[in-house]
Amino acid sequence: MRRKLVVGNWKMNGSLAQNKRLLDSLAQGLRDVSHVDIAVCVPYPYLFQAQAVLAGTSIAWGAQNVASHDNGAYTGEVSAAMLKEFGASYVIVGHSERHGAYGESAANIAEKFAIAKGYGLTPIFCVGETLQERESGVMEYAIANQLDPILSVSGGALLDQAVIAYEPVWAIGTNKTATPEQARAAHSFIRERIAALHPGAAESVRILYGGSVNSRNAAQLLSMSDIDGGLIGRGSLDADDFESICRAAC
Ligand code: 13P
């Protein structure tokens, strides 16, 4: 039985003062929620703040990207070891907002996935089709193209306990949520694809849905079979909304 997981992706939002209010509220408001794993993925500079406020609570924290190298002359990059120093448990890799804007290749994302795992972080690997791909009937092909480099680079052991997020690009930041049935179908496809290569890992991998999840649609989406939780953008920036979404995951 996979435990549900709800992760807030703050993206490039926040300030010391705003974060303090949000994190304090979450720590307080989610104290009694024990049926679901909860995490927030914050901008790098705020990792220390997440660690300071959330240490000792049941809310974990993480980052939104990681370097694909251990250390060295990689100006502007942040390593997995550095994330670990600030107590991070999770790191998002391959978010569509990154490979679109920063040209991350599938091979590069697979390296990030492997290095995160190697340092004991849980990678949250994002896949998802564009509207054009969905409408032209190549959705599964597009998802498989993103997934397969990870499946071939990573052995079953690396995939074990990893997290995949299905984030249809057309649903991110648009208020156009996938229907529960659309999301469920994509999740089953992803799990079957993993099972074909790594049957053991397919059962333990948690597959989250992301894309315009809010406090009104969360319960329906997160109750679908094969949807093991959510990756939440805008809905994670407001304490009441995020709390409702976490409570809806059961
Ligand atoms: P929104 O929830 O704002 O649509 O963002 C989803 C997302 O990209 C999470 O990673």
Side-chain angles (χ1 to χ4, degrees):
M1 185 65 185
R2 296 177 295 271
R3 250 172 90 78
K4 295 263 157 124
L5 168 66
V6 178
V7 181
N9 173 9
W10 287 7
K11 308 192 179 182
M12 198 175 70
N13 292 295
S15 69
L16 284 173
Q18 281 170 13
N19 306 343
K20 177 85 172 82
R21 283 195 294 276
L22 176 55
L23 292 170
D24 280 342
S25 301
L26 294 179
Q28 176 72 17
L30 291 166
R31 262 180 324 174
D32 64 326
V33 178
S34 54
H35 64 283
V36 54
D37 291 336
I38 300 169
V40 288
C41 286
V42 306
Y44 291 136
Y46 301 133
L47 277 171
F48 82 96
Q49 190 185 24
Q51 182 179 37
V53 179
L54 298 178
T57 73
S58 59
I59 306 172
W61 58 95
Q64 302 166 17
N65 185 29
V66 65
S68 52
H69 300 275
D70 286 305
N71 61 280
Y74 301 102
T75 302
E77 293 290 282
V78 172
S79 72
M82 293 171 189
L83 301 184
K84 283 301 277 186
E85 277 204 302
F86 287 94
S89 301
Y90 294 92
V91 62
I92 297 171
V93 296
H95 194 284
S96 60
E97 285 161 8
R98 287 204 58 81
H99 57 89
Y102 302 97
E104 285 184 348
S105 67
N108 192 228
I109 293 165
E111 284 165 8
K112 292 181 178 202
F113 184 96
I115 208 158
K117 265 291 200 169
Y119 278 86
L121 294 159
T122 300
I124 301 172
F125 168 55
C126 303
V127 297
E129 81 286 359
T130 62
L131 187 59
Q132 199 195 0
E133 287 164 338
R134 174 171 279 270
E135 287 178 343
S136 51
V138 296
M139 176 191 113
E140 293 189 346
Y141 174 79
I143 294 176
N145 263 344
Q146 295 163 36
L147 201 54
D148 288 357
I150 302 279
L151 301 186
S152 53
V153 166
S154 307
L158 272 189
L159 279 170
D160 193 37
Q161 306 296 332
V163 176
I164 298 197
Y166 168 61
E167 296 210 312
V169 177
W170 50 271
I172 296 175
T174 57
N175 294 328
K176 285 193 198 128
T177 320
T179 65
E181 182 46 36
Q182 284 174 326
R184 191 209 54 74
H187 284 224
S188 322
F189 171 75
I190 292 167
R191 199 175 303 283
E192 277 161 25
R193 190 108 190 154
I194 299 171
L197 274 177
H198 305 293
E203 267 313 296
S204 71
V205 167
R206 288 189 281 191
I207 307 178
L208 313 183
Y209 169 77
S212 297
V213 179
N214 58 41
S215 52
R216 292 172 304 286
N217 60 29
Q220 225 198 342
L221 280 163
L222 304 184
S223 65
M224 299 301 283
S225 66
D226 259 328
I227 301 189
D228 304 314
L231 183 57
I232 320 297
R234 288 155 298 160
S236 69
L237 299 174
D238 177 89
D240 290 341
D241 284 348
F242 192 58
E243 204 185 308
S244 308
I245 295 168
C246 293
R247 286 185 189 278
C250 55

Short mmCIF file of all heavy atoms in Angstrom, two decimals, residues 106-162:
data_model
loop_
_atom_site.label_atom_id
_atom_site.label_comp_id
_atom_site.label_asym_id
_atom_site.label_seq_id
_atom_site.Cartn_x
_atom_site.Cartn_y
_atom_site.Cartn_z
N ALA A 106 16.84 15.01 -21.92
CA ALA A 106 16.37 13.82 -21.21
C ALA A 106 17.56 13.14 -20.50
O ALA A 106 17.44 12.66 -19.37
CB ALA A 106 15.71 12.86 -22.18
N ALA A 107 18.72 13.13 -21.16
CA ALA A 107 19.89 12.46 -20.57
C ALA A 107 20.35 13.22 -19.33
O ALA A 107 20.73 12.62 -18.30
CB ALA A 107 21.02 12.41 -21.60
N ASN A 108 20.31 14.54 -19.41
CA ASN A 108 20.70 15.38 -18.29
C ASN A 108 19.78 15.16 -17.08
O ASN A 108 20.21 15.05 -15.93
CB ASN A 108 20.63 16.84 -18.78
CG ASN A 108 21.29 17.81 -17.83
OD1 ASN A 108 20.69 18.83 -17.51
ND2 ASN A 108 22.48 17.52 -17.36
N ILE A 109 18.50 15.06 -17.38
CA ILE A 109 17.51 14.85 -16.31
C ILE A 109 17.74 13.48 -15.68
O ILE A 109 17.66 13.32 -14.45
CB ILE A 109 16.08 15.01 -16.87
CG1 ILE A 109 15.86 16.46 -17.30
CG2 ILE A 109 15.04 14.60 -15.84
CD1 ILE A 109 14.66 16.69 -18.18
N ALA A 110 18.06 12.48 -16.51
CA ALA A 110 18.32 11.13 -15.98
C ALA A 110 19.54 11.16 -15.05
O ALA A 110 19.57 10.49 -14.01
CB ALA A 110 18.53 10.15 -17.13
N GLU A 111 20.56 11.96 -15.39
CA GLU A 111 21.74 12.09 -14.51
C GLU A 111 21.35 12.72 -13.18
O GLU A 111 21.83 12.33 -12.12
CB GLU A 111 22.81 12.96 -15.19
CG GLU A 111 23.59 12.27 -16.28
CD GLU A 111 24.38 13.27 -17.14
OE1 GLU A 111 24.45 14.48 -16.81
OE2 GLU A 111 24.89 12.83 -18.16
N LYS A 112 20.52 13.74 -13.25
CA LYS A 112 20.08 14.41 -12.02
C LYS A 112 19.31 13.44 -11.12
O LYS A 112 19.47 13.43 -9.91
CB LYS A 112 19.19 15.62 -12.35
CG LYS A 112 19.95 16.73 -13.03
CD LYS A 112 19.08 17.92 -13.34
CE LYS A 112 19.94 19.02 -13.98
NZ LYS A 112 19.38 20.34 -13.85
N PHE A 113 18.47 12.64 -11.76
CA PHE A 113 17.68 11.65 -11.02
C PHE A 113 18.63 10.69 -10.29
O PHE A 113 18.48 10.44 -9.09
CB PHE A 113 16.81 10.88 -12.02
CG PHE A 113 15.88 9.89 -11.40
CD1 PHE A 113 14.56 10.23 -11.14
CD2 PHE A 113 16.30 8.60 -11.10
CE1 PHE A 113 13.69 9.31 -10.57
CE2 PHE A 113 15.44 7.68 -10.53
CZ PHE A 113 14.14 8.04 -10.27
N ALA A 114 19.62 10.20 -11.02
CA ALA A 114 20.54 9.21 -10.44
C ALA A 114 21.38 9.84 -9.32
O ALA A 114 21.60 9.22 -8.27
CB ALA A 114 21.43 8.64 -11.54
N ILE A 115 21.83 11.06 -9.52
CA ILE A 115 22.70 11.68 -8.51
C ILE A 115 21.88 11.99 -7.26
O ILE A 115 22.35 11.80 -6.13
CB ILE A 115 23.45 12.91 -9.06
CG1 ILE A 115 24.76 13.08 -8.30
CG2 ILE A 115 22.66 14.20 -8.96
CD1 ILE A 115 25.81 13.87 -9.03
N ALA A 116 20.64 12.41 -7.43
CA ALA A 116 19.79 12.68 -6.26
C ALA A 116 19.63 11.41 -5.45
O ALA A 116 19.81 11.39 -4.23
CB ALA A 116 18.43 13.20 -6.72
N LYS A 117 19.32 10.32 -6.13
CA LYS A 117 19.14 9.03 -5.44
C LYS A 117 20.44 8.63 -4.73
O LYS A 117 20.42 8.15 -3.60
CB LYS A 117 18.78 7.95 -6.47
CG LYS A 117 17.32 7.73 -6.60
CD LYS A 117 16.78 7.10 -5.34
CE LYS A 117 15.47 6.40 -5.49
NZ LYS A 117 15.16 5.60 -4.30
N GLY A 118 21.55 8.84 -5.43
CA GLY A 118 22.85 8.46 -4.86
C GLY A 118 23.16 9.18 -3.56
O GLY A 118 23.86 8.66 -2.69
N TYR A 119 22.62 10.38 -3.40
CA TYR A 119 22.86 11.16 -2.17
C TYR A 119 21.72 11.00 -1.16
O TYR A 119 21.63 11.75 -0.20
CB TYR A 119 23.06 12.63 -2.51
CG TYR A 119 24.49 12.92 -2.96
CD1 TYR A 119 24.86 12.76 -4.28
CD2 TYR A 119 25.47 13.30 -2.04
CE1 TYR A 119 26.16 13.00 -4.70
CE2 TYR A 119 26.77 13.55 -2.45
CZ TYR A 119 27.11 13.39 -3.78
OH TYR A 119 28.41 13.62 -4.19
N GLY A 120 20.84 10.06 -1.43
CA GLY A 120 19.78 9.78 -0.46
C GLY A 120 18.62 10.75 -0.52
O GLY A 120 17.80 10.82 0.41
N LEU A 121 18.53 11.52 -1.61
CA LEU A 121 17.37 12.39 -1.80
C LEU A 121 16.31 11.61 -2.59
O LEU A 121 16.65 10.70 -3.34
CB LEU A 121 17.75 13.63 -2.62
CG LEU A 121 18.73 14.59 -1.97
CD1 LEU A 121 19.41 15.45 -3.04
CD2 LEU A 121 17.99 15.48 -0.97
N THR A 122 15.06 11.97 -2.43
CA THR A 122 14.02 11.36 -3.25
C THR A 122 13.73 12.28 -4.43
O THR A 122 13.21 13.38 -4.24
CB THR A 122 12.72 11.16 -2.44
OG1 THR A 122 13.01 10.31 -1.34
CG2 THR A 122 11.63 10.55 -3.30
N PRO A 123 14.09 11.84 -5.64
CA PRO A 123 13.78 12.68 -6.80
C PRO A 123 12.30 12.62 -7.14
O PRO A 123 11.68 11.56 -7.04
CB PRO A 123 14.62 12.07 -7.94
CG PRO A 123 14.96 10.69 -7.50
CD PRO A 123 14.79 10.60 -6.00
N ILE A 124 11.75 13.76 -7.50
CA ILE A 124 10.37 13.81 -8.00
C ILE A 124 10.49 14.15 -9.48
O ILE A 124 10.77 15.30 -9.86
CB ILE A 124 9.54 14.89 -7.27
CG1 ILE A 124 9.53 14.61 -5.76
CG2 ILE A 124 8.12 14.96 -7.84
CD1 ILE A 124 8.89 15.73 -4.93
N PHE A 125 10.37 13.13 -10.28
CA PHE A 125 10.67 13.27 -11.71
C PHE A 125 9.38 13.58 -12.47
O PHE A 125 8.41 12.83 -12.40
CB PHE A 125 11.31 11.96 -12.20
CG PHE A 125 11.40 11.84 -13.68
CD1 PHE A 125 12.03 12.81 -14.43
CD2 PHE A 125 10.85 10.74 -14.33
CE1 PHE A 125 12.10 12.71 -15.82
CE2 PHE A 125 10.92 10.63 -15.71
CZ PHE A 125 11.54 11.61 -16.45
N CYS A 126 9.38 14.70 -13.20
CA CYS A 126 8.14 15.17 -13.85
C CYS A 126 8.07 14.76 -15.32
O CYS A 126 9.05 14.90 -16.06
CB CYS A 126 8.08 16.70 -13.81
SG CYS A 126 8.18 17.37 -12.15
N VAL A 127 6.91 14.27 -15.70
CA VAL A 127 6.65 13.98 -17.12
C VAL A 127 5.26 14.54 -17.48
O VAL A 127 4.44 14.74 -16.59
CB VAL A 127 6.66 12.46 -17.43
CG1 VAL A 127 8.01 11.85 -17.17
CG2 VAL A 127 5.58 11.71 -16.63
N GLY A 128 5.04 14.77 -18.75
CA GLY A 128 3.71 15.24 -19.14
C GLY A 128 3.71 15.73 -20.57
O GLY A 128 4.73 16.19 -21.08
N GLU A 129 2.56 15.61 -21.20
CA GLU A 129 2.44 15.96 -22.61
C GLU A 129 1.95 17.40 -22.79
O GLU A 129 1.31 17.96 -21.89
CB GLU A 129 1.46 15.00 -23.32
CG GLU A 129 -0.02 15.31 -23.13
CD GLU A 129 -0.57 14.97 -21.75
OE1 GLU A 129 0.20 14.47 -20.90
OE2 GLU A 129 -1.77 15.22 -21.51
N THR A 130 2.23 17.98 -23.93
CA THR A 130 1.68 19.30 -24.26
C THR A 130 0.26 19.10 -24.80
O THR A 130 -0.15 17.97 -25.12
CB THR A 130 2.51 20.00 -25.36
OG1 THR A 130 2.45 19.18 -26.54
CG2 THR A 130 3.96 20.19 -24.94
N LEU A 131 -0.46 20.20 -24.95
CA LEU A 131 -1.82 20.13 -25.48
C LEU A 131 -1.81 19.58 -26.91
O LEU A 131 -2.61 18.74 -27.29
CB LEU A 131 -2.48 21.51 -25.45
CG LEU A 131 -3.95 21.54 -25.80
CD1 LEU A 131 -4.76 20.66 -24.86
CD2 LEU A 131 -4.49 22.97 -25.75
N GLN A 132 -0.81 20.04 -27.65
CA GLN A 132 -0.72 19.60 -29.05
C GLN A 132 -0.49 18.08 -29.12
O GLN A 132 -1.09 17.39 -29.94
CB GLN A 132 0.44 20.35 -29.71
CG GLN A 132 0.35 20.33 -31.20
CD GLN A 132 1.65 20.75 -31.85
OE1 GLN A 132 2.64 21.06 -31.18
NE2 GLN A 132 1.65 20.78 -33.16
N GLU A 133 0.37 17.58 -28.22
CA GLU A 133 0.63 16.13 -28.22
C GLU A 133 -0.64 15.36 -27.84
O GLU A 133 -0.95 14.33 -28.43
CB GLU A 133 1.78 15.81 -27.25
CG GLU A 133 3.13 16.24 -27.80
CD GLU A 133 4.24 16.31 -26.76
OE1 GLU A 133 3.96 16.43 -25.54
OE2 GLU A 133 5.41 16.27 -27.17
N ARG A 134 -1.37 15.88 -26.86
CA ARG A 134 -2.61 15.19 -26.46
C ARG A 134 -3.61 15.21 -27.62
O ARG A 134 -4.19 14.19 -27.97
CB ARG A 134 -3.22 15.85 -25.22
CG ARG A 134 -4.58 15.28 -24.82
CD ARG A 134 -5.05 15.79 -23.48
NE ARG A 134 -4.46 15.07 -22.38
CZ ARG A 134 -4.99 13.97 -21.81
NH1 ARG A 134 -6.12 13.46 -22.27
NH2 ARG A 134 -4.39 13.38 -20.82
N GLU A 135 -3.77 16.39 -28.22
CA GLU A 135 -4.80 16.50 -29.26
C GLU A 135 -4.44 15.74 -30.53
O GLU A 135 -5.30 15.31 -31.27
CB GLU A 135 -5.07 17.97 -29.57
CG GLU A 135 -5.86 18.62 -28.44
CD GLU A 135 -6.14 20.08 -28.63
OE1 GLU A 135 -5.47 20.72 -29.49
OE2 GLU A 135 -7.02 20.60 -27.91
N SER A 136 -3.13 15.54 -30.75
CA SER A 136 -2.78 14.79 -31.96
C SER A 136 -2.59 13.30 -31.66
O SER A 136 -2.08 12.56 -32.49
CB SER A 136 -1.55 15.40 -32.65
OG SER A 136 -0.52 15.55 -31.73
N GLY A 137 -2.98 12.88 -30.47
CA GLY A 137 -3.02 11.44 -30.17
C GLY A 137 -1.67 10.81 -29.86
O GLY A 137 -1.54 9.58 -29.91
N VAL A 138 -0.65 11.63 -29.56
CA VAL A 138 0.67 11.04 -29.28
C VAL A 138 1.06 11.22 -27.82
O VAL A 138 2.24 11.21 -27.47
CB VAL A 138 1.77 11.61 -30.21
CG1 VAL A 138 1.49 11.22 -31.65
CG2 VAL A 138 1.89 13.12 -30.07
N MET A 139 0.06 11.34 -26.96
CA MET A 139 0.33 11.58 -25.55
C MET A 139 1.20 10.48 -24.93
O MET A 139 2.20 10.76 -24.27
CB MET A 139 -1.00 11.67 -24.81
CG MET A 139 -0.86 11.81 -23.34
SD MET A 139 -2.46 11.58 -22.56
CE MET A 139 -2.16 10.07 -21.71
N GLU A 140 0.83 9.23 -25.18
CA GLU A 140 1.59 8.14 -24.55
C GLU A 140 3.01 8.09 -25.10
O GLU A 140 3.96 7.84 -24.36
CB GLU A 140 0.86 6.80 -24.75
CG GLU A 140 -0.45 6.79 -23.99
CD GLU A 140 -1.14 5.43 -23.97
OE1 GLU A 140 -0.74 4.54 -24.75
OE2 GLU A 140 -2.07 5.27 -23.15
N TYR A 141 3.14 8.33 -26.36
CA TYR A 141 4.47 8.35 -26.99
C TYR A 141 5.33 9.44 -26.34
O TYR A 141 6.49 9.24 -26.00
CB TYR A 141 4.28 8.60 -28.49
CG TYR A 141 5.55 8.78 -29.26
CD1 TYR A 141 6.32 7.68 -29.64
CD2 TYR A 141 5.99 10.06 -29.62
CE1 TYR A 141 7.51 7.86 -30.34
CE2 TYR A 141 7.16 10.24 -30.32
CZ TYR A 141 7.92 9.13 -30.68
OH TYR A 141 9.09 9.32 -31.36
N ALA A 142 4.73 10.63 -26.12
CA ALA A 142 5.48 11.76 -25.53
C ALA A 142 5.90 11.42 -24.10
O ALA A 142 7.05 11.68 -23.69
CB ALA A 142 4.62 13.02 -25.55
N ILE A 143 5.01 10.83 -23.33
CA ILE A 143 5.35 10.49 -21.94
C ILE A 143 6.43 9.41 -21.92
O ILE A 143 7.39 9.49 -21.16
CB ILE A 143 4.08 10.04 -21.18
CG1 ILE A 143 3.11 11.21 -21.05
CG2 ILE A 143 4.45 9.49 -19.81
CD1 ILE A 143 1.78 10.86 -20.40
N ALA A 144 6.27 8.42 -22.79
CA ALA A 144 7.25 7.32 -22.83
C ALA A 144 8.64 7.86 -23.18
O ALA A 144 9.66 7.42 -22.62
CB ALA A 144 6.82 6.27 -23.84
N ASN A 145 8.69 8.85 -24.08
CA ASN A 145 9.98 9.43 -24.46
C ASN A 145 10.68 10.11 -23.30
O ASN A 145 11.90 10.18 -23.24
CB ASN A 145 9.77 10.49 -25.55
CG ASN A 145 10.01 9.91 -26.90
OD1 ASN A 145 10.60 8.84 -27.03
ND2 ASN A 145 9.55 10.61 -27.92
N GLN A 146 9.88 10.67 -22.37
CA GLN A 146 10.48 11.32 -21.19
C GLN A 146 10.85 10.29 -20.13
O GLN A 146 11.85 10.43 -19.43
CB GLN A 146 9.49 12.33 -20.61
CG GLN A 146 9.21 13.49 -21.55
CD GLN A 146 7.94 14.26 -21.16
OE1 GLN A 146 7.63 14.43 -20.00
NE2 GLN A 146 7.22 14.73 -22.15
N LEU A 147 10.04 9.26 -20.04
CA LEU A 147 10.23 8.26 -18.98
C LEU A 147 11.36 7.28 -19.30
O LEU A 147 12.15 6.91 -18.41
CB LEU A 147 8.90 7.49 -18.86
CG LEU A 147 8.55 6.73 -17.63
CD1 LEU A 147 8.64 7.62 -16.39
CD2 LEU A 147 7.12 6.18 -17.78
N ASP A 148 11.46 6.86 -20.55
CA ASP A 148 12.36 5.76 -20.88
C ASP A 148 13.83 6.02 -20.56
O ASP A 148 14.50 5.10 -20.09
CB ASP A 148 12.18 5.36 -22.35
CG ASP A 148 10.85 4.63 -22.56
OD1 ASP A 148 10.14 4.40 -21.56
OD2 ASP A 148 10.52 4.32 -23.72
N PRO A 149 14.35 7.25 -20.75
CA PRO A 149 15.76 7.46 -20.38
C PRO A 149 16.01 7.18 -18.90
O PRO A 149 17.05 6.64 -18.53
CB PRO A 149 16.01 8.94 -20.71
CG PRO A 149 15.00 9.28 -21.73
CD PRO A 149 13.79 8.43 -21.43
N ILE A 150 15.06 7.51 -18.05
CA ILE A 150 15.21 7.23 -16.62
C ILE A 150 15.15 5.72 -16.38
O ILE A 150 15.94 5.17 -15.62
CB ILE A 150 14.07 7.89 -15.79
CG1 ILE A 150 14.05 9.39 -16.00
CG2 ILE A 150 14.16 7.53 -14.32
CD1 ILE A 150 15.04 10.17 -15.20
N LEU A 151 14.21 5.08 -17.06
CA LEU A 151 14.04 3.64 -16.84
C LEU A 151 15.26 2.87 -17.32
O LEU A 151 15.62 1.86 -16.73
CB LEU A 151 12.78 3.13 -17.56
CG LEU A 151 11.47 3.77 -17.16
CD1 LEU A 151 10.30 3.08 -17.83
CD2 LEU A 151 11.28 3.73 -15.64
N SER A 152 15.91 3.35 -18.38
CA SER A 152 17.06 2.59 -18.86
C SER A 152 18.33 2.94 -18.09
O SER A 152 19.17 2.08 -17.87
CB SER A 152 17.24 2.78 -20.36
OG SER A 152 17.29 4.14 -20.65
N VAL A 153 18.47 4.21 -17.63
CA VAL A 153 19.67 4.58 -16.86
C VAL A 153 19.58 4.00 -15.46
O VAL A 153 20.57 3.52 -14.90
CB VAL A 153 19.80 6.12 -16.77
CG1 VAL A 153 20.81 6.54 -15.71
CG2 VAL A 153 20.18 6.71 -18.10
N SER A 154 18.37 4.03 -14.88
CA SER A 154 18.22 3.63 -13.49
C SER A 154 17.86 2.16 -13.40
O SER A 154 16.95 1.72 -14.09
CB SER A 154 17.10 4.42 -12.82
OG SER A 154 17.30 5.79 -13.01
N GLY A 155 18.55 1.45 -12.57
CA GLY A 155 18.15 0.07 -12.31
C GLY A 155 16.90 0.10 -11.44
O GLY A 155 16.48 1.16 -10.97
N GLY A 156 16.33 -1.06 -11.20
CA GLY A 156 15.14 -1.15 -10.36
C GLY A 156 15.40 -0.55 -9.00
O GLY A 156 14.52 0.10 -8.41
N ALA A 157 16.64 -0.71 -8.48
CA ALA A 157 16.92 -0.22 -7.13
C ALA A 157 16.83 1.29 -7.06
O ALA A 157 16.36 1.85 -6.08
CB ALA A 157 18.32 -0.67 -6.70
N LEU A 158 17.26 1.96 -8.12
CA LEU A 158 17.20 3.43 -8.12
C LEU A 158 15.75 3.91 -8.19
O LEU A 158 15.40 4.95 -7.64
CB LEU A 158 17.96 4.00 -9.32
CG LEU A 158 19.45 4.26 -9.15
CD1 LEU A 158 19.98 5.01 -10.35
CD2 LEU A 158 19.75 5.05 -7.88
N LEU A 159 14.93 3.15 -8.87
CA LEU A 159 13.52 3.56 -9.00
C LEU A 159 12.72 3.27 -7.74
O LEU A 159 11.70 3.89 -7.50
CB LEU A 159 12.88 2.82 -10.16
CG LEU A 159 13.16 3.41 -11.52
CD1 LEU A 159 12.67 2.48 -12.61
CD2 LEU A 159 12.46 4.76 -11.67
N ASP A 160 13.21 2.31 -6.96
CA ASP A 160 12.49 1.93 -5.77
C ASP A 160 12.28 3.15 -4.88
O ASP A 160 13.22 3.88 -4.60
CB ASP A 160 13.31 0.85 -5.04
CG ASP A 160 12.47 0.18 -3.98
OD1 ASP A 160 11.28 -0.01 -4.22
OD2 ASP A 160 13.03 -0.11 -2.90
N GLN A 161 11.07 3.39 -4.46
CA GLN A 161 10.72 4.52 -3.58
C GLN A 161 10.87 5.89 -4.24
O GLN A 161 10.78 6.92 -3.57
CB GLN A 161 11.57 4.53 -2.29
CG GLN A 161 11.55 3.24 -1.48
CD GLN A 161 10.16 2.93 -0.94
OE1 GLN A 161 9.35 3.82 -0.70
NE2 GLN A 161 9.86 1.65 -0.79
N ALA A 162 11.13 5.92 -5.54
CA ALA A 162 11.22 7.23 -6.19
C ALA A 162 9.80 7.77 -6.41
O ALA A 162 8.82 7.07 -6.17
CB ALA A 162 11.94 7.11 -7.53
#
